[in-house]
Amino acid sequence: MDTLFLGLALVFIVSYLWYVSLVKKYRAVLDALSSMEVSLNKRLEPLTALLAQTPGMAAPLAAEPLSAKGAEACSEAADPAKTAAAIQNSPLEPQLVELAARIRALASQHAQAWLPLMPPKSSIAPAEVSAYLESVEQVNQHLAAWFASISRLEMSRLEMATEPPSWQPFGQGAPLEHSDVYEAETPMAASARYYNAAVLELNTAVEIFPGSIIAAIAGIKRMPEYAAFKAGVAAEHATR
């Protein structure tokens, strides 16, 4: 009897400790998603500052849930007629205004993908996370094209300049420091790595016995990786 009691007590203790470990890993995934969202908003800030100089494009640009008024402003800014008018009256190069309009529309869509995951959510569906990560990747790809374009423009202007200019590529408003444009790159990459590492730990714990049984009882599911970022890192290492 004592042996049976000790065996059951040991099973209970191990199961409880595994459950606590699963919850901690699940919370780490939620924290990583929040960190990624903060980093994405940080990455959007330089573009927001530049769009504030452009007539018709100064509506808030942030990957946050928008009010009805904010969503309407983003919708108007993404309208082709509004974009055409902004191009005619803008100090920005036309292709950059068009790209900015696409980024604005994607940021508005991204806000809807983030809404189901916003803290203090204690439980999220893997499908919602997958939709969010796809949205993040779309915004990131367009932002990468934006930063590459302004970098090329700055290089061409530096080549033509007789004196080293301040970082003010579009000729109006307060100068924008070069570091302001690129300083958000590293935090975004770090957040993506943190998320993938947290997901790997969670999925491993869920798949290993007795974690699979405990996770099924607790309703904790495997989470999707940020596959696009992982593939990008692999491709970068392959070219070195």
Side-chain angles (χ1 to χ4, degrees):
M1 180 65 69
D2 290 341
T3 303
L4 177 62
F5 176 79
L6 289 174
L8 291 175
L10 181 61
V11 169
F12 174 79
I13 292 172
V14 170
S15 299
Y16 176 75
L17 292 176
W18 202 290
Y19 168 75
V20 171
S21 177
L22 280 174
V23 170
K24 287 182 177 179
K25 290 176 171 60
Y26 188 76
R27 293 289 184 186
V29 171
L30 298 181
D31 290 343
L33 284 171
S34 296
S35 175
M36 191 182 302
E37 185 65 13
V38 170
S39 296
L40 183 61
N41 278 297
K42 179 67 175 176
R43 200 177 181 204
L44 285 166
E45 285 179 2
L47 178 57
T48 304
L50 292 175
L51 290 183
Q53 306 172 20
T54 307
M57 297 290 288
L61 179 72
E64 299 174 351
L66 300 172
S67 63
K69 185 176 181 180
E72 182 180 355
C74 286
S75 176
E76 289 180 357
D79 183 82
K82 295 283 185 180
T83 302
I87 290 173
Q88 294 177 357
N89 301 292
S90 173
L92 300 174
E93 281 70 7
Q95 67 272 22
L96 290 182
V97 179
E98 293 174 357
L99 182 56
R102 289 199 296 274
I103 294 173
R104 183 187 299 285
L106 287 171
S108 180
Q109 295 170 10
H110 173 80
Q112 302 307 313
W114 169 242
L115 192 60
L117 310 180
M118 284 184 65
K121 291 278 287 190
S122 58
S123 178
I124 54 178
E128 294 174 339
V129 177
S130 294
Y132 170 79
L133 294 174
E134 290 176 7
S135 177
V136 168
E137 183 59 21
Q138 286 184 339
V139 175
N140 270 330
Q141 287 180 357
H142 283 74
L143 281 172
W146 169 272
F147 290 135
S149 296
I150 62 173
S151 180
R152 286 193 297 269
L153 284 172
E154 178 65 6
M155 289 299 296
S156 64
R157 295 188 180 191
L158 282 172
E159 291 173 357
M160 293 184 294
T162 57
E163 298 180 3
S166 62
W167 176 252
Q168 190 176 343
F170 306 120
Q172 290 190 7
L176 181 67
E177 294 297 330
H178 188 279
S179 60
D180 291 341
V181 175
Y182 295 102
E183 68 179 0
E185 294 288 335
T186 300
M188 186 66 210
S191 296
R193 289 191 184 91
Y194 172 38
Y195 171 78
N196 276 347
V199 165
L200 179 61
E201 286 193 14
L202 173 66
N203 291 347
T204 301
V206 167
E207 293 169 356
I208 296 175
F209 180 85
S212 54
I213 297 176
I214 298 171
I217 296 173
I220 297 176
K221 300 178 181 179
R222 297 179 77 260
M223 287 294 159
E225 285 185 315
Y226 188 177
F229 174 80
K230 186 177 180 180
V233 171
E236 181 180 350
H237 285 304
T239 58
R240 290 180 179 177

